[in-house]
Amino acid sequence: MTIAKPGPTAIPLTEPFWAAASRGEVLLQRCNACGHHQHYPRALCSRCWQTELDWVSSSGRGRVWTYTVVHRPGHPAWADDVPYVLAIVELSEGPRLLTNLVEIQPEDVTTDMQVQARFTSHEPTSLIHFEPAAG
């Protein structure tokens, strides 16, 4: 029996982020008052608390800030995927995302390694993973 992997549940506040992921794009919120980029989506700026936020494209590039190798899945649906790398990636725009690293063996991952976004379909949206940056 195959167990379906749980996925994100979009709410009105996060809908632009997930819609962009389905198009193969990483969107971030940017504050109109102070210019701060943020992730996860919020109703106000996490730096200055203003509410005027826009959605802007991210380069989708960043670096591994920290990571761990998962050997015991937190849900039965990921049992066949272990070991896998769970990482916090710091985007070039500043925000950090919790994500998986793909296309790399766990023993080859290092902090500060350059990575780029990679999108995988997960109905009804796409998930954002990261892989080693080309070049």
Side-chain angles (χ1 to χ4, degrees):
M1 177 172 99
T2 302
I3 300 172
K5 292 180 180 175
T9 300
I11 60 172
L13 182 62
T14 64
E15 182 57 40
F17 177 82
W18 294 115
S22 291
R23 298 188 305 269
E25 180 182 12
V26 179
L27 281 189
L28 300 172
Q29 287 181 309
R30 183 180 61 204
C31 178
N32 290 332
C34 72
H36 176 67
H37 290 87
Q38 66 185 21
H39 182 79
Y40 59 90
R42 288 163 254 200
L44 51 85
C45 176
S46 61
R47 179 180 286 162
C48 73
W49 295 44
Q50 296 298 310
T51 58
E52 297 300 318
L53 302 166
D54 283 328
W55 288 97
V56 297
S57 291
S58 164
S59 67
R61 299 181 69 83
R63 69 181 185 93
V64 175
W65 190 72
T66 191
Y67 70 96
T68 190
V69 178
V70 177
H71 294 277
R72 298 178 79 188
H75 187 281
W78 281 282
D80 293 338
D81 296 342
V82 294
Y84 59 88
V85 179
L86 184 64
I88 296 178
V89 168
E90 184 175 68
L91 295 172
S92 59
E93 295 84 4
R96 295 177 183 154
L97 282 75
L98 180 64
T99 186
N100 290 74
L101 297 185
V102 296
E103 301 300 322
I104 188 168
Q105 294 299 313
E107 61 271 13
D108 295 332
V109 177
T110 62
T111 56
D112 290 325
M113 73 181 295
Q114 299 298 303
V115 293
Q116 62 191 24
R118 177 186 176 112
F119 302 87
T120 58
S121 179
H122 189 90
E123 292 301 324
T125 186
S126 290
L127 298 178
I128 303 170
H129 303 289
F130 283 79
E131 64 186 359

